[in-house]
Amino acid sequence: MTDLAQAVEASILEHGLLQPGEPVLVAVSGGIDSMVLLHVLHGLAPRHNWKLAVAHLNHQLRGRASDLDEKLVRVTAAALKCPFAFERANVKRHAEEQKLSMEMAAREVRHSFLARNARSLGIAKIALAHHADDQVELFFVRLLRGAGPDGLAGMKWSNPSPASARVRLIRPLLDCGKTELRAYAEAKKISFREDATNTVVDIFRNRIRHELIPLLEAKYQPALPRVIARLIDLLGAESEVMAESAHKLRTRRSGLAKAPLALQRRVLQQQIIEMGYKPQFSLVEWLRMRPGKPICLGTGVRLSADEDGKVQLLKQEAKPFETDEELAVDWEAGAGEVVFGGKKLGWQVEAGSNLGHSLPKHQSGREYFDADKVGAPIILRNWRAGDRFWPIGMKGMVKLQDWFTDLKIPREQRHRLVIATTGSGDIFWIQGQRISEKFKLRPETRRRLDWRCE
């Protein structure tokens, strides 16, 4: 038995990933990681009487290359005498229909396919090929996107599938590095296919893999994977303690305001997750610091928290116009729309490069902003005395009252215009007027906020 196979076997036994005689569905893309995982598990299976089945999803994103991936996995499964489950999915259409990034759409479709086939085969475990290098990449992806301790704790050895709580995902390779996997594939002459998109540096994760991590290893910390693995382990253990403490605090149903700040946030975070929404930092902080004030997450969805930290789901109501009305919008929760001041406002966010240079054709009532400069949440309100903003194309700030006067906008109409500000109060959009210079798209823009007003 090779060193890699022994390490994988030890990890499976130490973490209780598979029991003797247990069936497992192995997710195989055709890439080197999953092909090595399949061969290692196949070699270990007779020692533990494990029953292997193979699952492959053709994402249909790379044309003939995707079909060749499918063919390789099919032939390999047949050669190893493993049952084979496969599907072809239109990931691009799913992304467009659900307004998701291609990465998130592929993840949703893939997990749904795997969980569905596992249940149909009577299998409760799905083996994924995530390895130690993936952990390091994921750590930096989440760090740079502002994740908290739970996110930075990385992938677990085992967790429920996001598509079905009855199915568990297991990751037997988490202690193995990419170099070990490649050496094993070469020694065993394992066929695999390279995904050309893994080298495209326009993709955020690929830039971390090919640029950031090599730089950090070469210039700052040669033992980066080991250091990050240790940090992930510490964060994971501490997060478990925090989760348990937050649960105990919730059962008391009082005293949230006197609890440590970290526990206040965790109590709110737990409830948001249980309600099926993403616990973005901006959302948690709004609920924590503004009891009784709602925040909008999307069409028909508003959340509010009371003084004791109890989060409630509110129905969206189209109120009569009120000049003192104010509403927070958390665009990080996903695309959505809301009615405010008699106007329907909608938003979605696009991620990528060159977003400041490739604007869609101009449409009335539609504007674009640098999403990361705007930040979340967005506050919707009306004109107030003393408001100032920086109109695009001008040299500096102007008083909004002077702006209205110069444009001869009637006083009664001024109070009916909807204004959008950042969480810190900077105005970036005024209904029917210019956008703010501070929040316009720039060459370095990585996320573009598409803002609509009807």
Side-chain angles (χ1 to χ4, degrees):
M1 188 187 300
T2 66
D3 290 344
L4 179 68
Q6 286 181 333
V8 172
E9 182 180 43
S11 293
I12 292 173
L13 298 178
E14 178 185 352
H15 299 283
L17 303 185
L18 289 171
Q19 301 303 316
E22 190 172 12
V24 59
L25 183 65
V26 187
V28 184
S29 67
I32 186 171
D33 307 336
S34 60
M35 292 297 284
V36 167
L37 173 64
L38 175 59
H39 280 80
V40 169
L41 290 179
H42 184 264
L44 294 172
R47 291 165 56 90
H48 303 276
N49 198 27
W50 294 328
K51 312 297 182 185
L52 271 58
V54 175
H56 174 82
L57 179 68
N58 185 335
H59 295 78
Q60 299 189 104
L61 292 175
R62 297 184 294 116
R64 176 170 167 75
S66 292
D67 295 336
L68 291 174
D69 294 346
E70 178 189 318
K71 181 179 179 181
L72 172 63
V73 179
R74 182 190 298 275
V75 169
T76 303
L80 298 178
K81 295 182 172 56
C82 295
F84 179 62
F86 84 99
E87 285 182 14
R88 294 172 183 168
N90 192 331
V91 173
K92 185 176 181 181
R93 184 174 65 193
H94 183 72
E96 292 170 351
E97 291 175 349
Q98 301 301 318
K99 298 180 180 178
L100 298 170
S101 67
M102 203 66 71
E103 181 183 7
M104 287 304 298
R107 183 178 184 276
E108 278 193 3
V109 172
R110 183 167 59 251
H111 279 300
S112 175
F113 156 74
L114 291 171
R116 187 171 60 254
N117 279 276
R119 291 196 304 266
S120 68
L121 293 169
I123 298 175
K125 301 281 182 67
I126 299 172
L128 304 180
H130 296 124
H131 50 78
D133 290 46
D134 288 330
Q135 281 280 53
V136 176
E137 291 172 15
L138 182 61
F139 176 87
F140 284 107
V141 167
R142 291 179 172 176
L143 176 69
L144 296 175
R145 288 177 176 170
D150 276 357
L152 296 180
M155 295 175 284
K156 294 178 171 56
W157 286 97
S158 176
N159 62 274
S161 164
S164 174
R166 291 184 293 162
V167 177
R168 293 195 70 82
L169 307 178
I170 63 171
R171 300 177 177 86
L173 301 182
L174 272 189
D175 267 349
C176 306
K178 186 79 169 188
T179 302
E180 297 172 81
L181 303 184
R182 191 169 292 278
Y184 184 89
E186 291 175 357
K188 297 292 184 178
K189 296 183 171 51
I190 296 173
S191 298
F192 62 89
R193 288 186 47 78
E194 295 281 8
D195 184 345
T197 62
N198 287 336
T199 62
V200 178
V201 293
D202 280 350
I203 298 173
F204 182 57
R205 184 162 188 152
N206 288 351
R207 292 200 303 276
I208 289 174
R209 177 185 302 157
H210 298 297
E211 298 175 356
L212 178 60
I213 292 176
L215 172 67
L216 293 175
E217 288 181 317
K219 299 289 186 180
Y220 299 95
Q221 178 51 272
L224 187 68
R226 187 171 71 251
V227 170
I228 297 300
R230 185 171 62 218
L231 178 57
I232 286 172
D233 186 55
L234 290 170
L235 288 170
E238 292 179 6
S239 288
E240 289 178 4
V241 174
M242 284 294 298
E244 184 178 349
S245 298
H247 179 72
K248 290 178 180 178
L249 182 60
R250 287 175 62 184
T251 60
R252 296 206 300 265
R253 300 186 180 182
S254 64
L256 181 70
K258 296 180 180 179
L261 175 58
L263 272 181
Q264 293 181 33
R265 288 171 173 162
R266 185 58 68 99
V267 165
L268 295 169
Q269 181 190 69
Q270 286 181 348
Q271 294 176 82
I272 294 167
I273 292 173
E274 289 168 6
M275 297 171 81
Y277 303 107
K278 296 178 182 178
Q280 303 285 358
F281 180 78
S282 55
L283 170 58
V284 172
E285 288 301 275
W286 178 273
L287 296 174
R288 184 180 69 83
M289 299 178 68
R290 298 171 178 82
K293 287 187 173 292
I295 181 168
C296 179
L297 306 189
T299 304
V301 177
R302 294 190 191 192
L303 297 184
S304 178
D306 62 21
E307 293 285 350
D308 292 327
K310 172 68 174 177
V311 180
Q312 296 177 316
L313 179 63
L314 309 175
K315 290 185 178 180
Q316 178 173 305
E317 299 176 0
K319 295 182 180 180
F321 178 79
E322 300 175 16
T323 58
D324 61 347
E325 187 181 4
E326 180 178 286
L327 179 66
V329 168
D330 187 4
W331 56 261
E332 287 188 311
E337 60 183 34
V338 65
V339 175
F340 179 85
K343 311 297 189 301
K344 182 187 287 186
L345 303 163
W347 64 90
Q348 67 182 63
V349 175
E350 301 169 86
S353 56
N354 299 319
L355 293 175
H357 302 290
S358 56
L359 283 178
K361 186 177 180 180
H362 177 72
Q363 298 178 42
S364 177
R366 194 168 195 170
E367 301 288 357
Y368 299 91
F369 302 92
D370 187 311
D372 292 302
K373 288 189 177 295
V374 172
I378 289 169
I379 311 298
L380 301 177
R381 61 173 177 82
N382 306 106
W383 172 45
R384 295 172 182 168
D387 273 346
R388 301 168 67 89
F389 90 117
W390 185 354
I392 190 170
M394 296 185 69
K395 293 184 178 180
M397 304 289 284
V398 301
K399 284 187 176 181
L400 201 46
Q401 181 171 341
D402 295 341
W403 176 264
F404 288 152
T405 300
D406 291 344
L407 293 178
K408 296 181 171 58
I409 297 176
R411 182 170 294 275
E412 64 275 10
Q413 184 180 339
R414 300 175 190 180
H415 288 287
R416 292 184 174 274
L417 296 178
V418 179
I419 289 173
T421 80
T422 66
S424 59
D426 284 338
I427 295 173
F428 68 88
W429 175 82
I430 304 169
Q431 177 195 337
Q433 305 299 311
R434 293 193 203 179
I435 67 172
S436 170
E437 175 76 22
K438 292 173 64 176
F439 303 97
K440 69 180 183 181
L441 299 175
R442 288 175 169 78
E444 64 270 19
T445 296
R446 287 293 177 264
R447 289 196 295 174
R448 182 170 68 194
L449 175 64
D450 179 349
W451 185 256
R452 306 180 306 281
C453 176
E454 297 179 22

